[in-house]
Amino acid sequence: MTTHSRFNLKALLESNAGLGHELHAAHVNPRFATVLRTIGYDRDYVRAEGAHLFDRAGHRYLDFLGGYAVCNFGRNHPTIRRALEDALSLDLASMVQFEAPLLSGLLAAELKRRIGRGLDHVFFTNSGTEGVEAAIKFAKCATGRPALLHAPKAFHGLSSGSVSLNGCDSFRQGFAPFLPGCRQVAFNDLAALERELAKGDVAAFVIEPIQGKGVNIHSPGYLAEASRLCHRYGALFVADEVQTGLGRTGSFLAIDQEDDAKGPVEPDMVILSKALSGGYVPVGAVLVKGEVWRKVFTTLDRAIVHSSTFHQGALAMTAGLASLAAYDETSAAENARRMGARIKAGVEAMKPRFEMIREVRQRGLMIGIEFGPPKSLLLKANWAATHAMDKNLFAQAVVVPLMEDHRILCQVAGHNQDVVKLIPPLVIDDADVDWFLRAFESVMTSLHKPTATVGLLARLGKNALFGQRRESGEPTEAAQP
Ligand code: PLP
């Protein structure tokens, strides 16, 4: 088929080059545009490869955010890109709806082969939140019970159902009433969990094996025992591996490192999304035990009682299959373990010199660096001043210069926590780790000076007033390794 369309993506991008922030501020989310400008994140990325982003002037950035853990195998991985190009050029029959798509059958079989644990059926979604919504419905339907348990600081998405399981007030304010029967259970506390389960009304305990907000890690044995407790009291155990799955923590699933002497973690459902997309096409998957699935999809007239229009489109399924191939090709989990251990060791080696580094929590390339109050008097005043202004400000004081002075993109981990979080693509190499450690050391050196608070305020004020536009002009190599 020939096309006479005048639509030309390249020309559209070229003729509007540099207008991203202006258009965003005018038409999309002006508040977010202001945040980006204030913290110096108003860059103009035009290309990406692996763990690196490039702006219009050709500056290279180190991406330690990975699109919120979407780009595990690096941005624009050639295997995934080629598979998608193939899928497009084949003119596949996608979203016929009344059919059994080959690609979704293949992806479901491949996920089951890799995960095992007696999970028999795969329900595809378009996002992590949709996976959580499916799990909530399946759990209620299969158990006939109304209640759901979640942890403090939990993050399972922001739709009405998933935000009801959110453990951060900042995400909940203004959105009440929530789903009835959602209860918070103390983090890492088996006795508290048992007390809640003993009430006899719990459909499921939904839990992140490692919490995204703050990178909080359970004690060894907690997850395995929690799953056994759930089953003892007739509740389901749902592992939300949306962020931790596909190699992030150094194994295919995070729960793969949590089986204990008494037995394996026994999830009734495992939710995946993010990295399954390859960074290209939104996709998620809920792996479900057969006995749960059969209680939901009970009869022929309930065969699609839970579904959605886009849930197994050909491009999404292709991205999923190709991402699993890229997982193998990049030895993603193994590299995550090696590079993660290097970052942890590097930051811990700085602890004796920088009193505000409190703890490094790390599994693979899911890393939280927590800061704590200093002992020396002058620094104490700085710490108090930044916290009096804003509870997130100290962690921002770390990520802002990492970007502005060293071109490293990362994030503050959640609200009111002094934690900086690193979730880079799992393909980072030794040079990337060196780049980060050098930059982090330099930022720590300036933050451990008495003038640090004044410097930060001056920086934020200047950004808010004048913005950045650093991407214009010649590339300066100063910040690059
Ligand atoms: N569950 C977890 C553990 C997550 O980290 C996230 C997103 O960050 C979600 C669910 C929601 O996924 P999505 O943003 O794709 O809806």
Side-chain angles (χ1 to χ4, degrees):
M1 188 177 26
T2 54
T3 169
H4 299 292
S5 170
R6 291 213 303 267
F7 180 77
N8 181 331
L9 179 65
K10 256 179 150 176
L12 184 70
L13 290 173
E14 273 162 23
S15 60
N16 290 285
L19 295 182
H21 288 273
E22 215 171 289
L23 291 170
H24 204 89
H27 307 300
V28 186
N29 185 340
R31 293 258 186 268
F32 191 56
T34 304
V35 169
L36 291 175
R37 188 168 119 140
T38 307
I39 64 173
Y41 275 38
D42 51 341
R43 311 288 159 145
D44 199 3
Y45 304 112
V46 293
R47 195 172 73 76
E49 187 181 333
H52 301 130
L53 303 161
F54 299 86
D55 68 19
R56 263 194 312 142
H59 298 121
R60 189 163 66 113
Y61 295 77
L62 182 57
D63 178 8
F64 264 38
L65 182 58
Y68 291 156
V70 156
C71 301
N72 281 18
F73 319 115
R75 288 176 188 272
N76 298 314
H77 190 283
T79 299
I80 309 172
R81 190 183 58 214
R82 202 193 54 236
L84 289 168
E85 285 167 353
D86 286 349
L88 286 172
S89 66
L90 286 167
D91 287 335
L92 295 172
S94 181
M95 290 178 265
V96 174
Q97 310 299 359
F98 280 90
E99 58 142 5
L102 175 59
L103 284 168
S104 52
L106 290 170
L107 179 55
E110 187 57 26
L111 286 170
K112 280 177 61 181
R113 185 181 74 75
R114 287 168 189 258
I115 291 174
R117 293 181 192 268
L119 296 162
D120 303 292
H121 298 283
V122 183
F123 180 85
F124 288 108
T125 70
N126 304 291
S127 68
T129 302
E130 273 188 35
V132 172
E133 293 289 346
I136 290 173
K137 283 179 71 181
F138 293 174
K140 285 183 171 176
C141 188
T143 61
R145 293 173 169 193
L148 296 157
L149 302 181
H150 68 90
K153 296 187 189 161
F155 188 94
H156 299 287
L158 297 176
S159 58
S160 286
S162 60
V163 85
S164 303
L165 302 178
N166 197 302
C168 299
D169 277 346
S170 50
F171 284 113
R172 296 167 67 98
Q173 271 163 24
F175 299 111
F178 301 103
L179 276 188
C182 294
R183 301 199 295 265
Q184 198 160 284
V185 59
F187 182 79
N188 202 32
D189 185 338
L190 287 168
L193 176 63
E194 185 159 14
R195 278 195 299 279
E196 286 299 331
L197 291 167
K199 292 177 183 165
D201 62 348
V202 177
F205 179 28
V206 182
I207 184 163
E208 298 157 272
I210 296 177
Q211 289 192 322
K213 299 287 169 213
V215 190
N216 299 307
I217 303 178
H218 301 91
S219 310
Y222 172 83
L223 291 167
E225 187 58 27
S227 71
R228 288 188 288 264
L229 273 179
C230 283
H231 296 153
R232 196 173 309 151
Y233 289 93
L236 306 183
F237 182 84
V238 179
D240 179 349
E241 296 253 11
V242 165
Q243 186 162 160
T244 50
L246 278 88
R248 170 61 49 197
T249 68
S251 45
F252 190 76
L253 297 182
I255 56 169
D256 293 342
Q257 298 172 55
E258 298 297 334
D259 299 338
D260 70 4
K262 284 200 229 152
V265 182
E266 294 172 4
D268 299 282
M269 288 181 255
V270 169
I271 311 168
L272 298 173
S273 189
K274 290 196 185 274
L276 196 60
S277 70
Y280 279 105
V281 190
V283 61
V286 187
L287 286 92
V288 188
K289 280 237 165 95
E291 65 218 60
V292 174
W293 190 92
R294 282 188 293 277
K295 286 179 183 157
V296 180
F297 299 91
T298 42
T299 55
L300 294 185
D301 65 339
R302 283 176 66 89
I304 49 173
V305 71
H306 187 68
S307 182
S308 86
T309 305
F310 292 114
H311 81 140
Q312 42 188 345
L315 290 182
M317 299 298 102
T318 302
L321 282 161
S323 294
L324 294 176
Y327 172 89
D328 296 335
E329 288 166 18
T330 56
S331 305
E334 189 194 326
N335 200 53
R337 284 197 298 276
R338 270 194 318 118
M339 295 300 144
R342 268 208 66 202
I343 293 174
K344 179 176 172 135
V347 175
E348 286 201 321
M350 296 179 206
K351 258 168 114 178
R353 279 184 297 137
F354 301 122
E355 55 181 306
M356 288 190 279
I357 302 177
R358 176 187 272 176
E359 187 185 23
V360 187
R361 295 190 283 277
Q362 174 260 341
R363 277 286 159 76
L365 280 169
M366 187 157 178
I367 303 172
I369 304 174
E370 180 162 353
F371 303 93
K375 296 214 167 61
S376 43
L377 266 180
L378 262 177
L379 291 182
K380 257 189 187 164
N382 263 344
W383 178 269
T386 34
H387 284 78
M389 280 181 272
D390 186 306
K391 295 239 165 57
N392 298 303
L393 198 57
F394 186 82
Q396 285 294 2
V398 180
V399 306
V400 168
L402 278 174
M403 166 57 83
E404 293 206 297
D405 303 338
H406 303 277
R407 297 204 181 97
I408 295 174
L409 176 67
C410 62
Q411 69 175 134
V412 170
H415 297 270
N416 302 339
Q417 302 183 54
D418 292 305
V419 181
V420 167
K421 179 174 164 187
L422 312 175
I423 38 171
L426 309 183
V427 296
I428 57 167
D429 61 15
D430 285 314
D432 296 323
V433 171
D434 292 342
W435 181 350
F436 172 78
L437 289 175
R438 253 199 318 270
F440 186 75
E441 182 171 15
S442 150
V443 170
M444 284 300 107
T445 305
S446 18
L447 282 177
H448 282 74
K449 285 182 183 153
T451 50
T453 310
V454 179
L456 171 69
L457 291 180
R459 197 189 270 270
L460 296 180
K462 185 178 105 293
N463 288 350
L465 285 176
F466 304 114
Q468 300 301 311
R469 322 309 305 167
R470 283 176 208 76
E471 61 277 6
S472 54
E474 290 304 302
T476 53
E477 293 301 315
Q480 301 179 14

